[in-house]
Amino acid sequence: MLTRRKILAAAAIVCTSAAINAGQIKVETADISLILDGEPGGKLDLCYFGEKLDDTAEFEYAWHITQPDTPEEYGTQLYPAYGGRFFLNPALKITHADGVMTTELVYQSHGQRAIDANRTETIVTLRDKLYDATVDLRFVAYNTENVITQEVTFGHNEPGEVTIENIASSYLTLKASNYYLTHFHGTWAREMQLVEECLTPGVKVIESKKGMRTTQSDNSAFMVSLNAPAQEYSGEVYAGALAWTGNYKMSFELDEAGLLHIIGGINPFASEIKLGAGEDFTTPAMVLTYSNQGRSSISHNLHDWTRRYNLAHGNEERPIVLNSWEGAYFTYDENVIKRMIDDAAEFGVEMFVLDDGWFGNKFPRNGDNAGLGDWQVNKKKLPHGIGALADYAVSKGLKFGIWIEPEMVNPDSELAHKHPEWIVRSGNRDLLPMRNQQLLDLTNPEVQDFVFGVFDGIMSMSPNISYVKWDANRHVDNAGSTYLAADRQSHFWYEYIKGLYSVYERIRQKYPDVEIQLCSAGGGRIDFGALKYHDEFWTSDNTNALDRLSIQYSTNLFFPAIATAAHVSTSPNHQTGMMLPLKFRFDVAMTGRLGMELQPSQLNGEEKEFASRAVVLYKQLRPVIQLGDLYRLDSPYDNDGWCANMYVTKNRGEAVVFAFSTTYHNRTQSYSIKLHGLDPDKHYLLEEVNTISGNSNYVGSGKVYSGEFLMKAGLLLPIGGAYTSMVLHLVEQ
Ligand code: DGJ
């Protein structure tokens, strides 16, 4: 038996064994190492996860802990199953075909291959000591982005069904004095509220059981900072997010030895998976990254990775949108929409999106109580059809987009009468409405075909449809399926999302170029699982710029600005009643993918003029904002009434700074900020842009500064009044 020796490093768990070189497996990116160790028949240990480590031989003789009784049983396993001496929450819990509840996984083999110049795949196969059951751990290391994804496949050939009660996508063990967890709670119109807490012994759980719209109340994305609260530009931070649109559970278990175990994956709640011999089950991927330079690098890693690998058209600039919802709601006809298109064209907006209300005849969609499911154009409102409107938009130089909510049905619809068996239901229990609607059962292939058909049918209405907003305004209550067998009801949660993804796949195969917005009542589906099929998400139904500052700040810790739809809406704001200056509303929306969501005819002349100039400006700044690096300068969560961020091009030749005052400071105060991400040796011409008059009174505008000065000494900005803001454009000289 091998004697295993454990090294506890500040950043991560380190272990070694007698035959280190034979058993060591390295999953590496440019700046990160994940080092595993396994010998055939022995446990697979997590040796190290942290800053890139080239020389691993020292593990042999460094400080170690021995467990003389049964040394190998106490190792820091990379993927512990319930069984043997493992007593914490496990990564895997299954019941074998013969009823045995324990599993002891040992290393069997591993393989590594280059997928391409930037990606390496590593698959480590574990097997049960006694049963014909295997676990494949699949890692993909994205070199330049410093992201590692992990997914897990369980399979068996036992003589009967095996039940999976819990199967995590990843299990990480960290060692530090303290662990500071950042996570995001919320609700509709108040999503992604950042909380950072020092973990105490026991288990902290973040989860969703909402089934198919899981990120409004909490998000699976998290960060753990070691030893101190997370800083922007220093300190060790680990981050993860589950690429999954269904139920998830993230557990942070601080054990009696002071180790933190992070278990992340689909939520085991009411979700037993039964597998026959020869069948297998694959988890969604956990997306992981690490930095020893604080949160900022974490965001850069994830933003770069998202744009390159996990977002449709991730490196193409997004058009500026006018969306009809808050400007017209359900009350419009062809003339109203044409007038909005005219105004959009006048502003220089590049895309018009027709939101809810355009469909249903027998049950017209004139409110949220009817019509969902009947995806035929409402002849009364739009007698010439969608094609005519799309053509009209194109004739005015705009692209055209349209809203759908294809997973849903109103009881008052032709679809609900025709296919009551397609509705998600739990036996004979009452159907509980939410926003007057029910959910279609996407575990059923017929429903999958229907939902695909809705998209396909919409696209066939006009070759001029280039954008689809995919909404989902309820989650799952009383889960169950008339399609799934009685003994497979617990597969509902998983199969629903697999069904949804299979529809997304078909859509993307047939319509690779169409832009698709992931809407879901705003903020309900902001996850890497769904995002890879989409171009952007609707960040929140709350369009109040003040609230958006904190929502977008948190969202952008993980997800990039290019995908963050942010619309200027009217004042007073429809969700909050708050009145904010148009410039402030534009400045906030310009930090993401700018759009407008109002009735343009209600703007007065001066407002129209300002909006038109802002649109021209955004087009100029857009490459920096959407494709550059985000640097957070000051958080809206620190309650000092100011916040700021900036974007810098990859070559550090151009930057845009956004600064906001969110309260009244007094007449004399100025806001002092230091910039980040510039080249200290370069010189930049600074201009204040997006001013109300078109000219700047700021004394620092029009001057040249060194990058060093801006980052070390910084700027004093004259924004002390409530809801005042400044946008600065810096260009290398
Ligand atoms: C919820 C979305 O988030 C809104 O933007 C809008 O599309 C409505 N649904 C329409 O019903």
Side-chain angles (χ1 to χ4, degrees):
M1 188 179 286
L2 294 173
T3 303
R4 290 181 183 266
R5 296 181 291 170
K6 307 293 165 199
I7 301 165
L8 301 182
I13 298 294
V14 180
C15 83
T16 185
S17 73
I20 183 107
N21 295 324
Q24 217 174 71
I25 304 162
K26 292 185 179 181
V27 177
E28 294 177 315
T29 68
D31 302 326
I32 299 176
S33 294
L34 172 65
I35 300 176
L36 319 177
D37 182 44
E39 300 293 335
K43 298 251 160 72
L44 178 72
D45 283 332
L46 166 61
C47 295
Y48 176 91
F49 183 33
E51 189 180 356
K52 184 73 169 276
L53 190 64
D54 291 322
D55 193 353
T56 54
E58 284 87 341
F59 289 165
E60 268 306 291
Y61 47 80
W63 182 83
H64 63 273
I65 298 170
T66 50
Q67 299 285 357
D69 292 347
T70 48
E72 72 168 2
E73 304 293 350
Y74 289 98
T76 301
Q77 290 183 64
L78 180 78
Y79 196 76
Y82 170 67
R85 284 189 192 271
F86 192 76
F87 51 85
L88 301 171
N89 286 306
L92 181 73
K93 166 69 181 74
I94 61 176
T95 299
H96 295 274
D98 62 3
V100 165
M101 297 191 296
T102 56
T103 300
E104 293 188 50
L105 294 175
V106 291
Y107 169 88
Q108 177 170 290
S109 61
H110 77 274
Q112 214 156 37
R113 72 177 179 109
I115 299 172
D116 54 32
N118 192 48
R119 291 178 296 169
T120 308
E121 178 189 62
T122 305
I123 297 180
V124 185
T125 301
L126 311 177
R127 64 171 172 78
D128 187 87
K129 270 182 177 172
L130 296 180
Y131 290 81
D132 191 357
T134 56
V135 169
D136 282 342
L137 308 174
R138 176 173 182 266
F139 303 90
V140 178
Y142 297 81
N143 188 52
T144 40
E145 295 78 19
N146 290 307
V147 165
I148 296 173
T149 58
Q150 182 182 344
E151 61 189 38
V152 175
T153 301
F154 173 81
H156 76 92
N157 277 304
E158 298 185 21
E161 275 185 359
V162 167
T163 304
I164 304 176
E165 283 126 40
N166 179 30
I167 181 164
S169 297
S170 72
Y171 185 103
L172 273 186
T173 301
L174 307 178
K175 170 64 184 165
S177 307
N178 286 296
Y179 310 90
Y180 287 81
L181 171 68
T182 301
H183 65 103
F184 309 91
H185 72 95
T187 183
W188 175 78
R190 196 167 185 270
E191 301 83 358
M192 293 297 281
Q193 299 300 302
L194 184 153
V195 187
E196 185 172 30
E197 56 192 287
C198 185
L199 292 171
T200 54
V203 187
K204 166 85 189 178
V205 171
I206 294 163
E207 64 177 343
S208 172
K209 301 196 214 55
K210 291 187 167 173
M212 39 63 68
R213 193 180 67 146
T214 53
T215 60
Q216 245 166 16
S217 28
D218 217 313
N219 196 296
S220 73
F222 70 90
M223 292 192 195
V224 171
S225 168
L226 300 191
N227 301 320
Q231 303 296 309
E232 273 303 306
Y233 303 105
S234 63
E236 290 194 276
V237 183
Y238 293 81
L242 191 68
W244 188 240
T245 310
N247 291 350
Y248 62 82
K249 182 171 180 177
M250 319 296 292
S251 302
F252 301 84
E253 182 164 13
L254 185 48
D255 75 11
E256 60 198 27
L259 304 181
L260 180 67
H261 307 273
I262 305 173
I263 315 169
I266 54 176
N267 199 326
F269 171 77
S271 296
E272 286 183 351
I273 302 284
K274 291 172 188 145
L275 283 188
E279 291 181 336
D280 56 33
F281 177 88
T282 299
T283 69
M286 179 66 78
V287 180
L288 297 164
T289 187
Y290 161 86
S291 170
N292 60 4
Q293 287 155 50
R295 274 179 182 161
S296 185
S297 308
I298 292 281
S299 300
H300 294 168
N301 293 349
L302 291 170
H303 292 178
D304 288 347
W305 176 80
T306 305
R307 282 186 294 236
R308 187 163 174 190
Y309 294 108
N310 209 64
L311 184 69
H313 318 115
N315 287 309
E316 292 169 27
E317 290 172 36
R318 304 300 195 248
I320 301 168
V321 167
L322 174 67
N323 188 60
S324 69
W325 180 239
E326 288 194 27
Y329 293 108
F330 295 104
T331 316
Y332 56 79
D333 59 17
E334 204 168 83
N335 287 335
V336 169
I337 297 302
K338 280 187 163 171
R339 174 82 203 275
M340 284 179 101
I341 292 173
D342 290 343
D343 288 337
E346 212 177 295
F347 287 139
V349 162
E350 297 155 306
M351 163 95 73
F352 176 80
V353 179
L354 180 63
D355 208 288
D356 201 349
W358 59 266
F359 51 91
N361 286 298
K362 192 165 172 200
F363 297 94
R365 181 74 170 168
N366 292 327
D368 63 18
N369 57 336
L372 273 181
D374 301 347
W375 299 102
Q376 317 88 26
V377 67
N378 181 292
K379 293 196 179 106
K380 234 184 189 170
K381 281 183 184 169
L382 305 174
H384 300 99
I386 293 297
L389 279 182
D391 292 350
Y392 186 75
V394 168
S395 76
K396 295 281 170 178
L398 271 75
K399 292 180 173 178
F400 183 83
I402 191 162
W403 179 96
I404 55 172
E405 194 179 5
E407 294 156 83
M408 305 288 170
V409 61
N410 284 124
D412 280 351
S413 68
E414 293 182 66
L415 182 71
H417 290 96
K418 199 169 161 202
H419 284 297
E421 78 286 5
W422 282 3
I423 293 174
V424 169
R425 63 179 71 233
S426 179
N428 292 324
R429 297 202 185 285
D430 287 345
L431 291 176
L432 303 175
M434 185 179 295
R435 207 195 188 208
N436 303 305
Q437 66 198 52
Q438 299 296 344
L439 181 64
L440 296 177
D441 178 7
L442 265 172
T443 69
N444 183 341
E446 278 182 24
V447 175
Q448 294 165 18
D449 287 347
F450 170 80
V451 173
F452 172 76
V454 171
F455 197 101
D456 207 27
I458 300 298
M459 293 306 292
S460 70
M461 286 175 170
S462 166
N464 283 329
I465 294 178
S466 45
Y467 176 106
V468 175
K469 173 175 177 175
W470 183 307
D471 210 344
N473 285 295
R474 71 160 297 155
H475 54 256
V476 185
D477 294 313
N478 275 348
S481 162
T482 53
Y483 171 76
L484 294 173
D487 65 350
R488 291 292 187 273
Q489 291 294 304
S490 59
H491 291 206
F492 171 81
W493 311 96
Y494 182 79
E495 292 298 337
Y496 184 99
I497 301 302
K498 290 308 267 187
L500 177 67
Y501 288 176
S502 76
V503 174
Y504 287 163
E505 288 284 347
R506 283 165 75 184
I507 288 170
R508 273 309 179 195
Q509 261 171 30
K510 186 157 180 189
Y511 301 106
D513 298 332
V514 70
E515 291 177 54
I516 312 179
Q517 187 191 70
L518 187 53
C519 174
S520 199
R525 271 184 178 164
I526 303 189
D527 64 78
F528 287 127
L531 188 59
K532 82 168 178 220
Y533 302 101
H534 295 78
D535 295 71
E536 61 176 27
F537 46 77
W538 180 226
T539 318
S540 174
D541 264 359
N542 186 342
T543 57
N544 189 36
L546 192 65
D547 298 310
R548 275 302 189 106
L549 281 173
S550 54
I551 293 171
Q552 290 174 199
Y553 175 93
S554 303
T555 304
N556 293 150
L557 282 164
F558 293 82
F559 306 94
I562 190 172
T564 306
H567 293 181
V568 175
S569 60
T570 195
S571 181
N573 179 269
H574 287 185
Q575 293 79 41
T576 63
M578 196 167 186
M579 296 177 76
L580 292 169
L582 187 62
K583 170 178 163 51
F584 190 87
R585 285 178 272 147
F586 259 99
D587 287 354
V588 172
M590 285 165 81
T591 65
R593 193 280 283 138
L594 174 68
M596 294 168 80
E597 180 117 7
L598 41 69
Q599 176 49 267
S601 61
Q602 287 172 356
L603 294 178
N604 66 32
E606 275 175 15
E607 289 171 328
K608 279 188 177 165
E609 203 187 301
F610 177 81
S612 304
R613 274 192 280 116
V615 163
V616 171
L617 175 69
Y618 186 77
K619 288 176 188 166
Q620 190 193 344
L621 305 181
R622 175 165 56 189
V624 189
I625 296 164
Q626 297 190 358
L627 304 175
D629 289 331
L630 166 65
Y631 290 88
R632 288 175 291 270
L633 307 178
D634 187 14
S635 165
Y637 288 91
D638 64 11
N639 293 324
D640 67 355
W642 276 302
C643 59
N645 64 9
M646 66 186 285
Y647 300 87
V648 185
T649 51
K650 294 278 177 194
N651 67 5
R652 299 200 270 178
E654 195 178 349
V656 186
V657 179
F658 294 91
F660 303 94
S661 169
T662 55
T663 190
Y664 175 65
H665 291 271
N666 72 39
R667 281 189 200 139
T668 52
Q669 276 201 23
S670 295
Y671 180 30
S672 140
I673 46 166
K674 290 178 184 169
L675 307 194
H676 274 275
L678 302 173
D679 184 336
D681 299 327
K682 286 185 173 164
H683 285 77
Y684 298 88
L685 173 65
L686 183 154
E687 308 261 20
E688 187 194 5
V689 292
N690 217 30
T691 57
I692 295 167
S693 66
N695 302 310
S696 172
N697 296 324
Y698 172 47
V699 64
S701 187
K703 309 283 188 330
V704 172
Y705 303 78
S706 72
E708 184 200 23
F709 180 88
L710 292 170
M711 293 192 290
K712 289 184 179 167
L715 296 166
L716 269 187
L717 303 179
I719 46 168
Y723 318 128
T724 50
S725 52
M726 283 178 84
V727 184
L728 308 174
H729 186 201
L730 292 118
V731 181
E732 179 188 355
Q733 295 304 289

